[in-house]
Amino acid sequence: MSWTNELYQVYENNCGKDDEKVILLPVSHSTANAQIEVTISETGKFLFAGRIENKEDSVTIIPVTENSGSRSSGIAPHPFADKLVYIAGDYSKYVTGKRSDNRNYYQAYMKQLQRWRESEYTHPAVCAVCEYLQKGTLMQDLIETHNLILDETTGKLKEKEKILGIIQEDAFVRFRINYSDSAAESRTWKDTSLYESFEGYCQKESGSVQLCYATGKALPCTYKHPSKIRNAGDKAKLISSNDESGFTYRGRFDSKEQAVSVSYDFSQKMHNALKWMIQKQGVSIGSMEFLAWASNLQTLPDVLGVPEEEVASSENAWGDEWVETKTERTSADNQLFSDTMPSYRSRLQKAIWGSGGKKVLEKGVNENLKVMIMVLDAATTGRLSMNMYEEMSISEFYKNVEKWHYDTAWVRFNGRQKKKEFRSFSLYEITDYAYGTEQGDSIECKSDIKSNIILRLIPCVTEGKNIPSDIVENLIHKACRPMSYKNGYNWRKVMEAVCGLIRKKIIEEKEKRKEKGEYEVALDYSCRERDYLYGRLLAIAEVAEASTYERNEDRITNANRYFEAFSNKPYQTWGVIYNRLTPYLNKMGTGQRRYYENMIGEVMEQFIITDFEDNSKLKPLFLLAYHCQLNNMSGRKNISKEDK
């Protein structure tokens, strides 16, 4: 269970280093989304209440028991803050339905709260809340302060009225205590002394001691593990031993104790560390959650996106001290661009490794540091699966990420700056272009498809595995159909992406043959392969025809119109394209016509006659030649005097 040990170490190493935005939860605590905030005095007198209108502000840290932290049905009250059905003594007066009689819920809650109040670990906030809720007037107070709305005809809660998307009867309430000491923390969900009070109380109330499979020690164990891992509303669990239905272990073990036994303390710390890191640096893709972290929590390059300039710095890239990080997807303005391939490689290394980071690593410093990569998803609402977990040395991780972004780089058009640059592709782009459909100015695919394809691509980036052939083939299929795109710029993006991945495939094949794993991006005038030469011919025909159009004339060239047919039957289709190109050549001046005819002739001369007459389907190499030739010609604004 290496991943559990890694998460446990994250908790032990970083407990107490929290900030206001992301808090590493204490043991025996979880989060809930509150809809109502009630303020009382320290003697238990109601002062005022208000609805929580901001969803971000609704996330509330609450004490939980072993049962309440994993509750899905039945009666399992939280020890302090909870839903109205548990804490409102007058709930039944204003609610209809199955749970309108909440006496069992309310009594279980009050009995539990009273035990905490009477223990040696009591707290002023516990006393105040217990004193107030014993009066049984919470619903009435909330109605009088207009936080709960009644139906005028029935005198019950209005059914369609909601607070932050939650119906009134299911509202969650948190408490604020108005202490006489102004220095005391009034927000109970941020009161560290209340956290410590409940942790101490829980340790005293802990259950029987058993062997913990994670630590190998005899400790109080639990079989009810936390949920809310991906977010505050997540009910899926990573560890579960319930065998009442579904038969999780039956037939292999006699009891759940044999199947899995984890101490309560270990489970709490491991799960809380996972929640904390997901909040800080996790990336959500539909229901899937991607998380990568280093054993010292240093900044890591973005696996899913495109490198940024100066991702890491010499001060934090290889230091031993803890560094707080947060991965965010950035705009195209901050992504790594370069005008030449050598310059791109230099800037890429700097962005991935940081200033001097590679040299430090090569000296052997921090050679024991590891990178953990985890992908979580839920097939059902109750079970969270680990779709991927890998550990590797940090040097291997960095080298693989750098190699991916170098091998997949291609000439791309920067629409904002109206110029060509070198850049690799994010996994989002590859997935959208290979499996998406045109949505106006963009290309997007469904979230479930996106998460599945990105999951398959992640090992290509982090472990250096080969790109799945079906993904590349899908991109090739899309690139060969320009007429299926209404927006020409969308097709251009697909063409750029397929060229980058074809280049990566060629490099993989060369490495397999133990050849030098490089492939130049520039146009190769010496290449005499049939597919390459046909790609060049198609690009020349496109530029030649387009050069006769008016400046703002939006027309489709014959090369684009017959692109798909050309890829399937090049010899036959080239005859059609050239015949249709002839009238456009005749419209040109003598020098311009001779320029394009000479280019076509130079390419034709390189063909072996049997290759030229081969009408079989072209290999993906023709797309590289097409794009390279296109870039080469579009970069020449004027025809030289010699050509004229």
Side-chain angles (χ1 to χ4, degrees), residues 69-70 222-227 237 239-241 260 262-263 267 271:
S70 59
T222 182
Y223 300 94
K224 297 178 180 179
H225 300 276
S227 55
K237 299 179 184 179
I239 305 175
S240 176
S241 59
V260 60
V262 181
S263 71
S267 175
H271 281 94

Side-chain angles (χ1 to χ4, degrees), residues 305-307 332 335-339 341 344 405 408-430 433 489-490 492-501 521 627 631:
V306 178
Q335 294 172 340
L336 190 66
F337 292 98
S338 188
D339 295 331
M341 204 63 185
Y344 174 77
H405 287 295
T408 59
W410 194 254
V411 184
R412 304 183 64 178
F413 181 71
N414 184 341
R416 297 188 181 187
Q417 299 182 14
K418 304 294 183 184
K419 67 177 184 177
K420 299 172 197 167
E421 296 158 316
F422 287 91
R423 180 162 65 92
S424 61
F425 303 85
S426 72
L427 302 193
Y428 304 101
E429 290 175 304
I430 294 170
Y433 299 161
Y489 186 55
N490 285 335
R492 180 195 292 228
K493 291 187 288 187
V494 174
M495 178 60 70
E496 292 168 347
V498 76
C499 288
L501 293 201
V521 178
H627 200 261
N631 281 326

Side-chain angles (χ1 to χ4, degrees), residues 32-50:
N33 291 327
Q35 289 80 45
I36 297 175
E37 184 178 307
V38 173
T39 302
I40 59 177
S41 69
E42 58 185 331
T43 59
K45 180 181 178 182
F46 177 83
L47 299 177
F48 51 86

Side-chain angles (χ1 to χ4, degrees), residues 544-557:
E545 181 178 333
S547 68
T548 65
Y549 296 169
E550 296 296 329
R551 183 177 181 83
N552 296 319
E553 190 174 358
D554 186 17
R555 288 174 59 190
I556 299 170
T557 64

Side-chain angles (χ1 to χ4, degrees), residues 69-246:
S70 59
R71 75 184 184 192
S72 56
S73 60
I75 299 176
H78 292 313
F80 193 71
D82 211 328
K83 293 184 176 183
L84 287 171
V85 68
Y86 281 101
I87 66 176
D90 54 346
Y91 185 83
S92 59
K93 293 181 182 179
Y94 304 99
V95 177
T96 58
K98 293 181 179 179
R99 292 197 299 177
S100 59
D101 183 3
N102 75 320
R103 284 176 294 179
N104 293 337
Y105 292 86
Y106 177 67
Q107 289 170 7
Y109 171 84
M110 291 304 301
K111 184 178 179 180
Q112 183 172 261
L113 185 64
Q114 191 64 39
R115 282 204 308 270
W116 183 8
R117 180 184 184 180
E118 293 171 356
S119 73
E120 60 184 293
Y121 297 98
T122 188
H123 188 276
V126 176
C127 297
V129 170
C130 189
E131 197 68 36
Y132 168 63
L133 293 180
Q134 281 178 341
K135 301 173 185 177
T137 60
L138 176 59
M139 297 289 286
Q140 180 183 333
D141 292 337
L142 293 177
I143 291 167
E144 290 177 354
T145 53
H146 307 290
N147 289 289
L148 296 178
I149 309 300
L150 295 180
D151 189 313
E152 295 180 358
T153 57
T154 62
K156 305 289 185 179
L157 290 184
K158 201 171 183 179
E159 291 184 3
K160 294 184 178 180
E161 181 70 22
K162 293 184 178 182
I163 311 171
L164 283 179
I166 303 298
I167 58 174
Q168 293 184 100
E169 63 188 67
D170 285 341
F172 195 100
V173 178
R174 69 186 185 193
F175 295 96
R176 184 187 288 263
I177 312 299
N178 191 8
Y179 294 108
S180 55
D181 180 4
S182 59
E185 176 59 77
S186 63
R187 300 168 298 177
T188 57
W189 60 97
K190 292 185 179 291
D191 188 348
T192 55
S193 65
L194 185 61
Y195 302 162
E196 294 167 0
S197 169
F198 188 69
E199 283 186 60
Y201 174 69
C202 276
Q203 288 178 2
K204 185 179 179 181
E205 297 285 312
S206 59
S208 59
V209 172
Q210 292 179 346
L211 175 65
C212 171
Y213 288 10
T215 62
K217 299 177 182 178
L219 297 166
C221 291
T222 182
Y223 300 94
K224 297 178 180 179
H225 300 276
S227 55
K228 303 180 181 178
I229 293 171
R230 292 170 297 174
N231 53 66
D234 186 15
K235 295 182 180 180
K237 299 179 184 179
L238 260 178
I239 305 175
S240 176
S241 59
N242 179 17
D243 207 37
E244 297 300 322
S245 62

